[in-house]
Amino acid sequence: MTVGRMSVVRNADRYFTIAVDEFDDNSIKGILFHESSSNGIIFESLLEMFFHMDRIFDQLGSPKQTVQIRQFSGVNGLSLEVKETSEKERPGKLATFSVFVQYRYYASWQGNYKWLEGDERVPFGSELELILSMYLLLSGSETKEHVSNIITTCHVAIDTYHSGKFTGNYQNIPSEILEQQVQPVDLAKSLGTFMEYELKNDDIPKYGLNYGQLISSDACNLCRRGGKIASFSIKVLFHEHATWQGIIFWREGRQQQLFRSYKEMLYLIATVAETSAENNRYPEHLPAGAGYALSGS
């Protein structure tokens, strides 16, 4: 459903200062500062950071979100705790970013950011570009390596989940690539980098390049195994507006949903994982008739 596209607001409302205090391959932690509040907001994952920025944009009505974020039936939207600090705006212990979100088109973000310890302002066409670009700077890499292929078919098995971090594994059925997460890792960063994995010669898909079904009796048992609290199958169909569009299938709930951006896909995963982790069960009232497989070209 289209909500709106134009808004007349002050540009200052679209700026956040992100003070990064801790960073490694598995997580990012810091404080968000916005002129609408004298208090900072603590975040312990990229998903928390996105959620709180979207929450404040929604409260201010700027920038307008042009579409409503999709949800699975019977699952409530994200409801993360707001952890405020009395600290005034300050630089991060590791890095500081000034992020300007000009638009929220296509269930995503468009804008630019400046690494305050550096010089130039960097544009981004989606939250996926923002994630990968920020992580390159924080990890000390100057340029992104060319990726000839992205993984377009992926399973996500979640064993534990809390505030944007999870344990479990990612699986790519065609090439049987498996990445296990024994310690809690940042869902938003790790899934994005996993799916941008470059296929090497020894990773030729064992089920053929045109393997279309996401869940099949032909797939290996490891790839078909679900997570302890939630399991998802993802098929990326398009790459437009600097982000991904495709289908996500929640296996235990027997529901599928189209996603229009990487952020929308993350929110769909997080809402189920959050509900399942809190209740230790899946929502009881689910629509019947959904199948266990998705097909794609």
Side-chain angles (χ1 to χ4, degrees), residues 8-288:
V8 180
V9 293
R10 298 178 308 136
N11 271 349
D13 291 335
R14 303 171 190 245
Y15 279 94
F16 275 88
T17 297
I18 301 174
V20 179
D21 293 334
E22 298 181 34
F23 168 80
D24 58 33
D25 285 341
N26 295 329
S27 67
I28 182 172
K29 297 180 181 180
I31 301 176
L32 282 173
F33 296 101
H34 189 268
E35 73 157 21
S36 65
S37 174
S38 58
N39 295 328
I41 300 171
I42 298 170
F43 66 90
E44 298 183 353
S45 68
L46 285 170
L47 190 69
E48 280 194 332
M49 186 184 83
F50 289 152
F51 171 81
H52 291 305
M53 291 174 72
D54 268 333
R55 178 180 58 81
I56 291 174
F57 289 147
D58 288 341
Q59 289 174 352
L60 296 174
S62 119
K64 290 282 188 183
Q65 189 153 250
T66 60
V67 294
Q68 291 180 339
I69 296 298
R70 291 169 174 161
Q71 297 177 199
F72 287 113
S73 177
V75 180
N76 294 326
L78 283 178
S79 180
L80 299 178
E81 178 187 0
V82 179
K83 296 168 285 190
E84 292 190 338
T85 173
S86 58
E87 287 187 78
K88 304 303 180 185
E89 184 168 329
R90 62 162 176 81
K93 296 176 182 177
L94 293 182
T96 315
F97 297 95
S98 174
V99 177
F100 174 66
V101 179
Q102 186 171 11
Y103 304 112
R104 289 195 293 168
Y105 296 163
Y106 318 117
S108 185
W109 293 349
Q110 299 79 36
N112 56 70
Y113 76 89
K114 184 175 183 182
W115 179 34
L116 297 187
E117 289 78 7
D119 295 322
E120 60 183 315
R121 187 164 284 276
V122 181
F124 59 86
S126 70
E127 70 299 315
L128 179 60
E129 282 192 345
L130 176 62
I131 290 172
L132 298 176
S133 179
M134 285 178 60
Y135 262 78
L136 282 173
L137 283 173
L138 289 168
S139 62
S141 301
E142 293 185 359
T143 59
K144 177 183 174 182
E145 294 183 5
H146 174 70
V147 177
S148 58
N149 295 290
I150 67 165
I151 289 175
T152 59
T153 303
C154 178
H155 289 286
V156 180
I158 297 179
D159 293 332
T160 65
Y161 177 87
H162 179 69
S163 298
K165 293 184 178 181
F166 89 108
T167 62
N169 62 73
Y170 300 134
Q171 308 152 16
N172 174 236
I173 282 183
S175 57
E176 291 188 357
I177 300 169
L178 175 69
E179 184 174 298
Q180 293 182 302
Q181 311 293 353
V182 179
Q183 300 297 324
V185 298
D186 191 292
L187 174 66
K189 181 263 181 181
S190 59
L191 181 55
T193 54
F194 174 79
M195 293 184 70
E196 290 229 339
Y197 181 92
E198 184 173 8
L199 297 178
K200 306 297 192 300
N201 290 332
D202 58 350
D203 293 326
I204 298 299
K206 296 176 174 56
Y207 301 108
L209 285 170
N210 295 320
Y211 183 79
Q213 279 195 321
L214 293 188
I215 303 174
S216 166
S217 58
D218 295 330
C220 63
N221 290 331
L222 182 62
C223 293
R224 292 163 56 204
R225 189 177 65 206
K228 293 180 180 178
I229 66 168
S231 313
F232 304 90
S233 297
I234 299 165
K235 180 109 177 154
V236 177
L237 301 175
F238 306 103
H239 188 284
E240 297 178 347
H241 312 302
T243 188
W244 304 335
Q245 299 80 37
I247 306 170
I248 182 169
F249 182 66
W250 172 26
R251 292 167 63 178
E252 293 81 4
R254 301 187 185 185
Q255 296 186 54
Q256 69 182 43
Q257 185 62 267
L258 297 172
F259 61 86
R260 295 157 295 187
S261 70
Y262 183 65
K263 181 163 70 76
E264 187 169 50
M265 183 188 77
L266 286 174
Y267 280 13
L268 284 163
I269 293 173
T271 52
V272 171
E274 183 181 75
T275 301
S276 302
E278 289 176 355
N279 300 336
N280 199 28
R281 60 179 176 83
Y282 299 103
E284 297 174 354
H285 304 291
L286 300 170

